[in-house]
PDB file of all heavy atoms in Angstrom:
ATOM      1  N   SER A 301     -11.131 -20.794   3.290  1.00 95.00           N
ATOM      2  CA  SER A 301     -12.288 -19.957   2.930  1.00 95.00           C
ATOM      3  C   SER A 301     -13.625 -20.720   3.483  1.00 95.00           C
ATOM      4  O   SER A 301     -14.717 -20.224   3.222  1.00 95.00           O
ATOM      5  CB  SER A 301     -12.374 -19.820   1.471  1.00 95.00           C
ATOM      6  OG  SER A 301     -12.497 -21.038   0.778  1.00 95.00           O
ATOM      7  N   ASN A 302     -13.450 -21.741   4.252  1.00 95.00           N
ATOM      8  CA  ASN A 302     -14.580 -22.409   4.921  1.00 95.00           C
ATOM      9  C   ASN A 302     -15.277 -21.360   5.818  1.00 95.00           C
ATOM     10  O   ASN A 302     -14.606 -20.624   6.408  1.00 95.00           O
ATOM     11  CB  ASN A 302     -14.180 -23.572   5.707  1.00 95.00           C
ATOM     12  CG  ASN A 302     -13.268 -24.501   5.057  1.00 95.00           C
ATOM     13  OD1 ASN A 302     -12.268 -24.013   4.515  1.00 95.00           O
ATOM     14  ND2 ASN A 302     -13.461 -25.767   5.184  1.00 95.00           N
ATOM     15  N   ARG A 303     -16.558 -21.283   5.849  1.00 93.00           N
ATOM     16  CA  ARG A 303     -17.406 -20.343   6.606  1.00 93.00           C
ATOM     17  C   ARG A 303     -16.798 -20.304   8.054  1.00 93.00           C
ATOM     18  O   ARG A 303     -16.672 -19.214   8.685  1.00 93.00           O
ATOM     19  CB  ARG A 303     -18.848 -20.667   6.578  1.00 93.00           C
ATOM     20  CG  ARG A 303     -19.744 -19.819   7.445  1.00 93.00           C
ATOM     21  CD  ARG A 303     -19.656 -18.349   6.962  1.00 93.00           C
ATOM     22  NE  ARG A 303     -20.036 -18.248   5.550  1.00 93.00           N
ATOM     23  CZ  ARG A 303     -20.185 -17.103   4.878  1.00 93.00           C
ATOM     24  NH1 ARG A 303     -19.812 -15.997   5.564  1.00 93.00           N
ATOM     25  NH2 ARG A 303     -20.518 -17.019   3.633  1.00 93.00           N
ATOM     26  N   GLU A 304     -16.629 -21.556   8.708  1.00 95.00           N
ATOM     27  CA  GLU A 304     -16.245 -21.568  10.054  1.00 95.00           C
ATOM     28  C   GLU A 304     -14.803 -21.130  10.345  1.00 95.00           C
ATOM     29  O   GLU A 304     -14.307 -20.837  11.461  1.00 95.00           O
ATOM     30  CB  GLU A 304     -16.368 -22.996  10.619  1.00 95.00           C
ATOM     31  CG  GLU A 304     -15.492 -24.040  10.169  1.00 95.00           C
ATOM     32  CD  GLU A 304     -16.057 -24.665   8.884  1.00 95.00           C
ATOM     33  OE1 GLU A 304     -16.923 -24.039   8.180  1.00 95.00           O
ATOM     34  OE2 GLU A 304     -15.659 -25.822   8.583  1.00 95.00           O
ATOM     35  N   TYR A 305     -14.080 -20.995   9.215  1.00 97.00           N
ATOM     36  CA  TYR A 305     -12.528 -20.551   9.358  1.00 97.00           C
ATOM     37  C   TYR A 305     -12.361 -19.062   9.055  1.00 97.00           C
ATOM     38  O   TYR A 305     -11.179 -18.637   9.119  1.00 97.00           O
ATOM     39  CB  TYR A 305     -11.758 -21.430   8.452  1.00 97.00           C
ATOM     40  CG  TYR A 305     -11.605 -22.915   8.906  1.00 97.00           C
ATOM     41  CD1 TYR A 305     -11.164 -23.860   7.938  1.00 97.00           C
ATOM     42  CD2 TYR A 305     -11.874 -23.289  10.126  1.00 97.00           C
ATOM     43  CE1 TYR A 305     -11.057 -25.176   8.254  1.00 97.00           C
ATOM     44  CE2 TYR A 305     -11.796 -24.629  10.549  1.00 97.00           C
ATOM     45  CZ  TYR A 305     -11.257 -25.548   9.571  1.00 97.00           C
ATOM     46  OH  TYR A 305     -11.225 -26.938   9.851  1.00 97.00           O
ATOM     47  N   LEU A 306     -13.401 -18.366   8.580  1.00 95.00           N
ATOM     48  CA  LEU A 306     -13.106 -16.981   8.232  1.00 95.00           C
ATOM     49  C   LEU A 306     -12.670 -16.125   9.322  1.00 95.00           C
ATOM     50  O   LEU A 306     -13.304 -16.153  10.412  1.00 95.00           O
ATOM     51  CB  LEU A 306     -14.379 -16.370   7.596  1.00 95.00           C
ATOM     52  CG  LEU A 306     -14.861 -17.085   6.261  1.00 95.00           C
ATOM     53  CD1 LEU A 306     -16.116 -16.445   5.827  1.00 95.00           C
ATOM     54  CD2 LEU A 306     -13.795 -16.964   5.190  1.00 95.00           C
ATOM     55  N   ASP A 307     -11.630 -15.342   9.097  1.00 96.00           N
ATOM     56  CA  ASP A 307     -11.156 -14.362  10.007  1.00 96.00           C
ATOM     57  C   ASP A 307     -10.767 -14.973  11.385  1.00 96.00           C
ATOM     58  O   ASP A 307     -11.060 -14.448  12.388  1.00 96.00           O
ATOM     59  CB  ASP A 307     -12.235 -13.249  10.231  1.00 96.00           C
ATOM     60  CG  ASP A 307     -12.600 -12.633   8.929  1.00 96.00           C
ATOM     61  OD1 ASP A 307     -11.726 -12.614   8.051  1.00 96.00           O
ATOM     62  OD2 ASP A 307     -13.642 -12.068   8.883  1.00 96.00           O
ATOM     63  N   ARG A 308     -10.067 -16.079  11.357  1.00 98.00           N
ATOM     64  CA  ARG A 308      -9.658 -16.681  12.620  1.00 98.00           C
ATOM     65  C   ARG A 308      -8.016 -16.900  12.566  1.00 98.00           C
ATOM     66  O   ARG A 308      -7.402 -16.748  11.550  1.00 98.00           O
ATOM     67  CB  ARG A 308     -10.238 -18.117  12.701  1.00 98.00           C
ATOM     68  CG  ARG A 308     -11.700 -18.244  12.408  1.00 98.00           C
ATOM     69  CD  ARG A 308     -12.581 -17.258  13.154  1.00 98.00           C
ATOM     70  NE  ARG A 308     -12.726 -17.735  14.554  1.00 98.00           N
ATOM     71  CZ  ARG A 308     -13.353 -17.037  15.508  1.00 98.00           C
ATOM     72  NH1 ARG A 308     -13.935 -15.833  15.255  1.00 98.00           N
ATOM     73  NH2 ARG A 308     -13.445 -17.548  16.760  1.00 98.00           N
ATOM     74  N   ASN A 309      -7.473 -17.046  13.771  1.00 98.00           N
ATOM     75  CA  ASN A 309      -6.174 -17.345  13.937  1.00 98.00           C
ATOM     76  C   ASN A 309      -5.169 -16.244  13.249  1.00 98.00           C
ATOM     77  O   ASN A 309      -4.511 -16.531  12.287  1.00 98.00           O
ATOM     78  CB  ASN A 309      -5.763 -18.784  13.461  1.00 98.00           C
ATOM     79  CG  ASN A 309      -6.469 -19.806  14.171  1.00 98.00           C
ATOM     80  OD1 ASN A 309      -7.192 -19.523  15.231  1.00 98.00           O
ATOM     81  ND2 ASN A 309      -6.292 -21.074  13.766  1.00 98.00           N
ATOM     82  N   HIS A 310      -5.301 -15.033  13.781  1.00 98.00           N
ATOM     83  CA  HIS A 310      -4.429 -14.010  13.201  1.00 98.00           C
ATOM     84  C   HIS A 310      -3.030 -13.821  13.791  1.00 98.00           C
ATOM     85  O   HIS A 310      -2.257 -13.051  13.277  1.00 98.00           O
ATOM     86  CB  HIS A 310      -5.141 -12.638  13.472  1.00 98.00           C
ATOM     87  CG  HIS A 310      -6.598 -12.518  12.911  1.00 98.00           C
ATOM     88  ND1 HIS A 310      -6.862 -12.589  11.563  1.00 98.00           N
ATOM     89  CD2 HIS A 310      -7.787 -12.505  13.562  1.00 98.00           C
ATOM     90  CE1 HIS A 310      -8.156 -12.505  11.340  1.00 98.00           C
ATOM     91  NE2 HIS A 310      -8.780 -12.347  12.556  1.00 98.00           N
ATOM     92  N   GLY A 311      -2.694 -14.641  14.732  1.00 97.00           N
ATOM     93  CA  GLY A 311      -1.365 -14.496  15.287  1.00 97.00           C
ATOM     94  C   GLY A 311      -0.172 -14.902  14.371  1.00 97.00           C
ATOM     95  O   GLY A 311      -0.472 -15.461  13.360  1.00 97.00           O
ATOM     96  N   SER A 312       0.901 -14.421  14.805  1.00 97.00           N
ATOM     97  CA  SER A 312       2.161 -14.707  13.964  1.00 97.00           C
ATOM     98  C   SER A 312       3.089 -15.832  14.721  1.00 97.00           C
ATOM     99  O   SER A 312       2.922 -16.947  14.288  1.00 97.00           O
ATOM    100  CB  SER A 312       2.952 -13.518  13.735  1.00 97.00           C
ATOM    101  OG  SER A 312       4.175 -13.758  13.087  1.00 97.00           O
ATOM    102  N   ILE A 313       3.725 -15.392  15.735  1.00 98.00           N
ATOM    103  CA  ILE A 313       4.499 -16.473  16.426  1.00 98.00           C
ATOM    104  C   ILE A 313       3.573 -17.114  17.519  1.00 98.00           C
ATOM    105  O   ILE A 313       3.558 -18.337  17.636  1.00 98.00           O
ATOM    106  CB  ILE A 313       5.767 -15.775  17.215  1.00 98.00           C
ATOM    107  CG1 ILE A 313       6.641 -15.140  16.061  1.00 98.00           C
ATOM    108  CG2 ILE A 313       6.396 -16.750  18.041  1.00 98.00           C
ATOM    109  CD1 ILE A 313       7.811 -14.368  16.569  1.00 98.00           C
TER     110      ILE A 313
END
Side-chain angles (χ1 to χ4, degrees):
S301 60
N302 315 48
R303 178 63 58 178
E304 67 272 25
Y305 290 163
L306 294 179
D307 304 332
R308 316 303 287 179
N309 296 355
H310 300 296
S312 175
I313 297 176

